[in-house]
Amino acid sequence: MRVLYFIFMVFCYSQIMFAQDFKTPFELSNGLETATYEQGIAFYEKLDAQYEEIKLFTYGSTDIGKPLHLAVFSADKDFDPKSLKAKGKSVFLVINAIHAGEPDGVDASMMLLRDIVQQEKLKKICKNTVFAVIPFYSVGGVLNRNSYSRANQNGPKSYGFRGNGKNYDLNRDFIKMDSENAKTFVQIFHLWQPDIQIDNHVTNGADYQYFMTNILANPALYAPEMADYFKKEFRPDLLNKMKKKNLEMSPYVEMRSNTPDSGLVQNVRSSRFSHTYATQFNTIAMVAETHMLKPFKQRTEATYQLMLSLLEILEKDGVKIQKNRKKSFEYFQKQKTYVLDWKINDKKFEMIDFKGYAAEQIPSKVTGQLRTFYNKSKPYTKKIPYYNVHEAKTTIEKPKMYIIPKVYGNIVKMLEMNNVVVTRLEKAETFKGVYYFIKDYKTVAKPFEGHYLHSDVVVEKKKAEYALQEGDWVVLTNQPNINFIMNVLEPQAPDSYFCWNYFDIILQQKEYYSDYVFEDIAEKLLNENADLKKRFEAKKQQEPEFAKNAKAQLDFIYYNSPHYEPNHLRYPIFRVE
Ligand SMILES: [Zn+2]
């Protein structure tokens, strides 16, 4: 009996020691510290070595030269995405530390993945769901550890920096793909094709009672059945689950005016952001934003519970979500028009309960001016308006195909990385269609994310013919990822490749004329072209300033002559309509 007791005690002790082996730096510091890059990767390597249901993958590279890791839990011990999809498994993808100063998801994911593999009760929620975690997205940012850059954040003791190794904000990089991180991510995304994706952050801004706020995708971005499921089932289910855990969530606190009392707004977010990017591919995507003023420990626990709730929903609704995703791809493929840009309808809103703190104006001890003070001794719950209805701002008809001239191999590469089928036509053929001419656009005065980003693009369509040359590429629009295609190839889309400067070279005129020589040519042109002469004379009559300006007159003739280069301001991707 004594021997048995001894064996039992040794067993218990070894189990405790074993569990101790998998304690995270977060737990060992009682919620004061976040795992370093080395600690995090070592932790996942250990889980991979110990448990057959966990595998740690490395993919591609990041700007800092290290790969992107992906830790995967698969109850079947099957780690082949294609085979998992064929078996009907759902995929839940987590992005952590894309802003490395906001590490809550890093530690929450380590604990959740461990708990799922170690606790039978939790394992049940991953029977049909594959749980995939990117432990550190901005590896360069994570390695740039400090204790100061998050000036208002309540822990952990030290953390990474918002910019990556090259100072890019990687949550603006999903379309332009300047970073190796983004190029590697899109590979992971299209390989695993997540049904739900979460990107874990910590927010700045106003003070209020919530630990967790969320940026859910704008339902207008989803196909009708998915939007219906999202609004009627997914969102209420998620909010209820968190409420039951005493972790009631608010929408991300973007205020109409200076304080939450003025109402919240769900701002339009284009596809440069992780969740909108994923939504383009019909993934249910969200950004978790814990509140910076709450202690790191509770923030991380809330992130853990949010991911657990999402896993529960996916395990329950996986079949439905997968079916809706499939239908969404079919729906968009059949559409004739596409929305490139959205605006908030500022007349429509719903009233929501908001748990805030009274915002008071008190004299500042630093500046002597009035400052906002959120009075924690005066918590309130009140109804406030939430503006979350979006309507189309720019809608474009789908062409039959786009022709990409052979010199734009870089554009083709980016499309192919995003699972777009780009083809080459065998025989020489001439197509009828249109070119866009860029009539107007705005450009930021200072670089934004390494770019002089354009916006408010105005185009003019001009009918033309395109004689396909050997080496030109064709993008047929009858394909599942058409939403993405339109959003990057149509210059008016806010995150088009045009706006991100991939075609700036067409905005520059290469040849000009010398006035004294062109005088004679201009005279000849007017004499030989009655229509041009008529328009020229009419313009002089109607516009006195023009009639007095010799340069403007020569310009007018030049720009209306064959001497003016046809490619100036011509967006080179041809639309076959
Ligand atoms: Zn962030």
Side-chain angles (χ1 to χ4, degrees):
M1 192 65 200
R2 232 178 222 183
V3 175
L4 271 179
Y5 179 73
F6 178 73
I7 293 171
F8 177 71
M9 285 308 287
V10 168
F11 174 76
C12 289
Y13 182 71
S14 66
Q15 286 300 98
I16 292 165
M17 287 310 288
F18 182 66
Q20 199 70 19
D21 271 0
F22 286 96
K23 281 260 180 282
T24 63
F26 171 86
E27 292 163 309
L28 294 170
S29 65
N30 196 25
L32 294 176
E33 287 175 24
T34 181
T36 62
Y37 177 77
E38 292 76 12
Q39 287 168 332
I41 298 301
F43 180 85
Y44 285 109
E45 281 170 347
K46 228 161 81 178
L47 282 177
D48 173 323
Q50 186 64 41
Y51 298 101
E52 286 186 327
E53 295 105 321
I54 290 181
K55 193 169 164 64
L56 183 64
F57 289 87
T58 55
Y59 290 98
S61 190
T62 60
D63 279 354
I64 206 87
K66 293 183 185 293
L68 260 194
H69 284 85
L70 184 77
V72 180
F73 172 89
S74 165
D76 286 15
K77 300 164 194 166
D78 177 356
F79 296 96
D80 173 5
K82 274 209 177 102
S83 137
L84 288 163
K85 287 269 164 190
K87 288 182 203 162
K89 304 281 176 189
S90 307
V91 176
F92 178 57
L93 178 65
V94 181
I95 299 173
N96 291 312
I98 195 166
H99 292 152
E102 305 165 18
D104 304 8
V106 168
D107 303 277
S109 298
M110 288 164 73
M111 294 187 289
L112 185 55
L113 201 77
R114 175 203 62 198
D115 291 350
I116 284 170
V117 76
Q118 288 184 345
Q119 297 175 23
E120 288 306 317
K121 189 179 75 183
L122 288 180
K123 227 180 222 181
K124 279 190 199 134
I125 60 158
C126 278
K127 258 178 147 171
N128 292 304
T129 304
V130 176
F131 181 25
V133 174
I134 295 177
F136 304 98
Y137 186 101
S138 174
V139 181
V142 169
L143 291 169
N144 185 7
R145 213 162 151 108
N146 73 96
S147 297
Y148 303 100
S149 59
R150 298 283 297 166
N152 302 319
Q153 190 168 288
N154 191 353
K157 277 183 182 162
S158 61
Y159 40 77
F161 183 66
R162 183 179 181 92
N164 84 333
K166 279 184 173 169
N167 210 30
Y168 281 113
D169 180 338
L170 295 181
N171 198 23
R172 308 291 183 270
D173 196 36
F174 287 93
I175 297 299
K176 62 186 174 68
M177 293 200 289
D178 286 322
S179 69
E180 292 305 310
N181 308 50
K183 288 173 197 147
T184 305
F185 173 79
V186 298
Q187 187 192 336
I188 295 171
F189 182 87
H190 292 290
L191 184 62
W192 289 89
Q193 300 186 7
D195 298 287
I196 298 184
Q197 174 184 293
I198 187 171
D199 177 10
N200 289 316
H201 290 248
V202 184
T203 184
N204 298 319
D207 198 3
Y208 40 78
Q209 299 174 43
Y210 303 96
F211 282 80
M212 177 64 80
T213 68
N214 63 72
I215 307 175
L216 290 167
N218 161 13
L221 294 175
Y222 291 120
E225 281 179 59
M226 183 66 107
D228 212 43
Y229 163 75
F230 179 82
K231 284 190 276 192
K232 290 184 187 151
E233 296 181 53
F234 175 83
R235 191 169 56 190
D237 203 3
L238 180 63
L239 297 181
N240 278 337
K241 276 182 185 296
M242 290 296 279
K243 198 173 178 178
K244 275 190 197 148
K245 292 172 180 174
N246 228 357
L247 285 165
E248 209 172 337
M249 287 198 291
S250 159
Y252 188 49
V253 180
E254 294 176 290
M255 301 172 290
R256 274 205 108 198
S257 183
N258 293 333
T259 59
D261 308 34
S262 60
L264 303 185
V265 181
Q266 184 182 23
N267 281 329
V268 176
R269 285 195 165 73
S270 53
S271 33
R272 75 189 66 160
F273 296 94
S274 65
H275 65 299
T276 321
Y277 172 80
T279 311
Q280 299 259 318
F281 299 96
N282 306 306
T283 297
I284 296 182
M286 70 175 289
V287 174
E289 295 274 6
T290 55
H291 189 220
M292 61 169 182
L293 295 178
K294 307 294 185 287
F296 175 56
K297 187 169 190 291
Q298 281 89 327
R299 288 185 347 236
T300 301
E301 286 161 1
T303 306
Y304 178 105
Q305 289 302 335
L306 176 61
M307 292 194 290
L308 185 59
S309 301
L310 286 166
L311 278 170
E312 285 164 1
I313 292 175
L314 189 51
E315 185 70 11
K316 173 171 71 73
D317 291 351
V319 173
K320 198 183 287 178
I321 293 173
Q322 287 181 39
K323 207 170 90 193
N324 276 336
R325 289 194 70 223
K326 191 166 170 282
K327 278 188 181 170
S328 301
F329 282 110
E330 290 162 4
Y331 170 84
F332 285 117
Q333 191 165 346
K334 281 191 209 131
Q335 283 294 98
K336 292 198 165 59
T337 57
Y338 293 81
V339 179
L340 303 180
D341 199 6
W342 299 87
K343 60 181 176 200
I344 294 172
N345 182 330
D346 58 10
K347 301 212 168 44
K348 287 191 181 164
F349 56 85
E350 55 180 289
M351 295 304 286
I352 57 166
D353 283 328
F354 187 77
K355 293 178 187 300
Y357 294 122
E360 297 171 357
Q361 294 292 309
I362 60 166
S364 160
K365 287 179 184 153
V366 179
T367 67
Q369 308 293 310
L370 284 179
R371 54 159 283 202
T372 302
F373 168 70
Y374 287 97
N375 193 337
K376 285 205 175 60
S377 65
K378 292 183 187 166
Y380 68 75
T381 302
K382 62 169 123 168
K383 295 241 183 257
I384 60 166
Y386 179 41
Y387 294 82
N388 64 342
V389 178
H390 297 82
E391 55 189 43
K393 191 172 155 194
T394 313
T395 307
I396 294 283
E397 274 179 37
K398 178 170 80 172
K400 284 198 188 78
M401 65 169 92
Y402 290 102
I403 298 177
I404 305 178
K406 57 184 161 190
V407 290
Y408 289 101
N410 59 333
I411 297 296
V412 170
K413 210 170 159 192
M414 295 209 294
L415 291 170
E416 285 180 336
M417 286 165 87
N418 283 287
N419 236 2
V420 172
V421 180
V422 185
T423 46
R424 280 194 153 130
L425 297 185
E426 291 300 315
K427 55 179 184 168
E429 210 175 321
T430 299
F431 291 96
K432 282 200 166 73
V434 298
Y435 273 120
Y436 285 134
F437 281 77
I438 307 294
K439 297 310 274 182
D440 199 12
Y441 57 95
K442 291 195 181 98
T443 303
V444 293
K446 286 182 182 173
F448 172 72
E449 289 303 314
H451 287 257
Y452 283 92
L453 181 68
H454 305 310
S455 63
D456 302 282
V457 177
V458 180
V459 296
E460 186 186 354
K461 275 182 170 185
K462 280 192 187 162
K463 283 190 178 155
E465 289 193 344
Y466 192 104
L468 201 75
Q469 291 180 30
E470 196 189 334
D472 288 343
W473 283 280
V474 167
V475 178
L476 297 171
T477 52
N478 184 22
Q479 56 174 300
N481 290 336
I482 181 61
N483 229 345
F484 175 82
I485 295 170
M486 301 280 293
N487 272 280
V488 293
L489 292 188
E490 287 293 330
Q492 294 177 88
D495 277 334
S496 65
Y497 292 147
F498 174 82
C499 284
W500 285 112
N501 309 112
Y502 281 95
F503 296 98
D504 275 6
I505 200 68
I506 61 129
L507 301 174
Q508 188 190 356
Q509 195 177 332
K510 287 290 185 288
E511 293 280 12
Y512 296 89
Y513 62 87
S514 298
D515 304 19
Y516 73 98
V517 188
F518 193 64
E519 285 277 354
D520 301 331
I521 300 167
E523 187 189 347
K524 198 163 168 257
L525 283 166
L526 288 177
N527 288 337
E528 286 170 0
N529 188 336
D531 175 60
L532 178 63
K533 188 167 179 137
K534 207 172 129 193
R535 284 190 289 138
F536 177 65
E537 293 301 336
K539 196 170 167 68
K540 275 206 288 188
Q541 290 246 312
Q542 287 158 11
E543 298 173 31
E545 286 304 313
F546 180 74
K548 280 188 271 175
N549 187 336
K551 175 79 172 74
Q553 292 179 36
L554 286 181
D555 274 354
F556 177 83
I557 299 167
Y558 179 78
Y559 287 125
N560 284 286
S561 81
H563 298 288
Y564 172 52
E565 62 212 55
N567 294 354
H568 181 219
L569 299 175
R570 190 181 77 182
Y571 179 62
I573 294 181
F574 189 74
R575 278 172 59 102
V576 179
E577 300 194 320

